[in-house]
Amino acid sequence: DATCVIVPVVPPNAKKDGQEAEPVLHLTKRELKRQRKLRREEKQRELRDLQAAGLVQPPEPRLTLKNFIRVLGDQAYVDPSQMEQKVMEQVQARQRAHLERNEARKLTKEQKAEKLRKKYEEDTSKTGVHVALFYVKNLSHPYHRTKVDLNAQQYNITGGVVECQNPQVACVICEGGPKAIKKYTRLMLVRMKWKGPDNEDDDDDEDEETGEDGVVKHKFDKENKCELVWTGMATKRFFKGFVFQACETSDQAKTILRSRGVGHYWDQVLTQASGQGESLHLKLADTDEEEEEDNDEEEEKVKTEDNDIEMTDA
């Protein structure tokens, strides 16, 4: 009968039997600096020994207009003009070498983009998924939409913008690492000019106007604002990218977010809008009207009781 033999797979980094683990010496920052200093001194000492033995040509003295008389000595007084020209040639040569080194180290456009991507790329499996939720009154201007979209892509942020026409509310959802969310929050609350530039003319009240070249110019909303509704952490990313979604009613917006598993975000944004913006006249539920009626009735009862007490005292 055939027998099956199972041989365990040995990892490539596994230690052999009887082999002891090598101790690792961890140095402090001060010790690391001292080790680096000693290595550099040893390297300079070896170079000086080679120059003293004649095996390596010593470098020319570094001349400047300030020190060439002290360095050259009597030779500088023999022909000062020639020595000055020699100094200027050396200074220009050092400047050219400096520019050439910078040009050689300069990154290409693709390398710069890759460096920027790695700078903002964060492993959310280790740091956790941080979430920020914003309420924006009006996000229809191209300036705001462009900056919101481009910065989200630059910081590797997922989420999106849900815009509702009735009522006019925009919900901005951001998911990413802690550094990206911190920078994006500063963009939304500090850097972004939601009411437009300070020097913009306020004479024309129209939303749009056509320029001389036929390009439509959008007007900024002077009552526009952005508020941070909530920030916290989530177990995972609920969005794959950063997209814009337009809806006509509040129910459609909530249905879209509920399909992603974050329908409660819309309720939070509506609560923020109804509590801060009186021009929206949002009513989250019928219980709000009942509570107002109850409060009015209680106030009337208190007034009648006060009047009765005054009559009895009189």
Side-chain angles (χ1 to χ4, degrees), residues 10-277:
V10 180
N13 297 330
K15 299 185 176 85
K16 298 180 180 179
D17 296 337
Q19 183 180 4
E20 297 181 358
E22 297 180 358
V24 179
L25 181 61
H26 297 281
L27 302 178
T28 62
K29 278 189 174 182
R30 188 173 181 180
E31 292 172 342
L32 289 172
K33 288 182 179 180
R34 178 162 180 77
Q35 291 291 333
R36 179 175 178 269
K37 180 181 178 181
L38 294 176
R39 286 196 304 269
R40 290 166 66 90
E41 289 180 353
E42 183 66 24
K43 187 176 180 180
Q44 289 294 328
R45 192 180 301 111
E46 292 177 359
L47 182 60
R48 285 196 297 269
D49 293 341
L50 293 175
Q51 292 174 359
L55 301 177
V56 176
Q57 188 71 19
E60 295 183 0
R62 188 176 184 276
L63 301 177
T64 62
L65 293 175
K66 190 175 182 179
N67 72 347
F68 79 98
I69 294 179
R70 176 168 48 85
V71 173
L72 298 177
D74 296 338
Q75 187 179 0
Y77 293 100
V78 176
D79 192 351
S81 300
Q82 185 179 1
M83 290 298 103
E84 185 178 354
Q85 183 179 1
K86 181 180 179 181
V87 171
M88 292 303 299
E89 290 176 357
Q90 193 179 112
V91 170
Q92 292 174 2
R94 288 199 298 267
Q95 183 70 15
R96 285 196 301 271
H98 170 73
L99 295 177
E100 289 174 0
R101 288 194 300 270
N102 285 353
E103 193 67 26
R105 288 197 301 265
K106 187 179 292 186
L107 301 178
T108 62
K109 188 175 181 180
E110 292 78 10
Q111 290 173 337
K112 287 181 181 179
E114 182 67 17
K115 181 180 178 181
L116 189 64
R117 186 187 65 81
K118 288 183 178 180
K119 179 180 178 181
Y120 294 115
E121 186 177 5
E122 299 178 79
D123 189 4
T124 53
S125 62
K126 298 179 181 179
T127 60
V129 180
H130 289 243
V131 183
L133 185 63
F134 300 93
Y135 153 66
V136 181
K137 183 179 179 183
N138 187 0
L139 197 59
S140 60
H141 200 280
Y143 165 78
H144 299 145
R145 299 174 70 89
T146 302
K147 290 190 75 69
V148 166
D149 188 18
L150 290 181
N151 281 271
Q153 296 178 12
Q154 190 179 50
Y155 295 144
N156 194 24
I157 289 177
T158 58
V161 177
V162 179
E163 298 177 276
C164 182
Q165 297 180 4
N166 187 21
Q168 188 177 9
V169 175
C171 170
V172 182
I173 305 170
C174 308
E175 301 172 338
K179 293 181 181 178
I181 294 299
K182 182 179 179 181
K183 289 183 176 292
Y184 201 83
T185 302
R186 176 172 172 77
L187 167 74
M188 297 290 287
L189 301 180
V190 179
R191 292 170 50 200
M192 189 83 78
K193 299 182 183 297
W194 292 106
K195 298 182 181 179
D198 298 333
N199 56 356
E200 189 185 24
D201 297 334
D202 299 337
D203 298 336
D204 195 359
D205 296 335
E206 295 181 0
D207 295 338
E208 298 179 356
E209 63 177 5
T210 305
E212 297 178 355
D213 52 356
V215 179
V216 177
K217 297 181 180 179
H218 297 265
K219 288 291 183 180
F220 287 96
D221 185 1
K222 293 303 178 182
E223 297 181 357
N224 198 10
K225 59 184 177 180
C226 174
E227 296 174 357
L228 178 62
V229 178
W230 174 79
T231 180
M233 297 185 65
T235 56
K236 62 177 183 178
R237 291 179 184 256
F238 293 95
F239 298 86
K240 295 183 178 180
F242 197 88
V243 296
F244 285 76
Q245 184 72 41
C247 307
E248 294 183 357
T249 61
S250 178
D251 294 337
Q252 294 179 359
K254 188 171 182 179
T255 302
I256 291 173
L257 293 181
R258 191 186 293 117
S259 64
R260 295 285 185 176
V262 290
H264 55 284
Y265 285 173
W266 186 253
D267 294 335
Q268 291 177 306
V269 171
L270 286 183
T271 304
Q272 183 78 10
S274 62
Q276 299 293 332

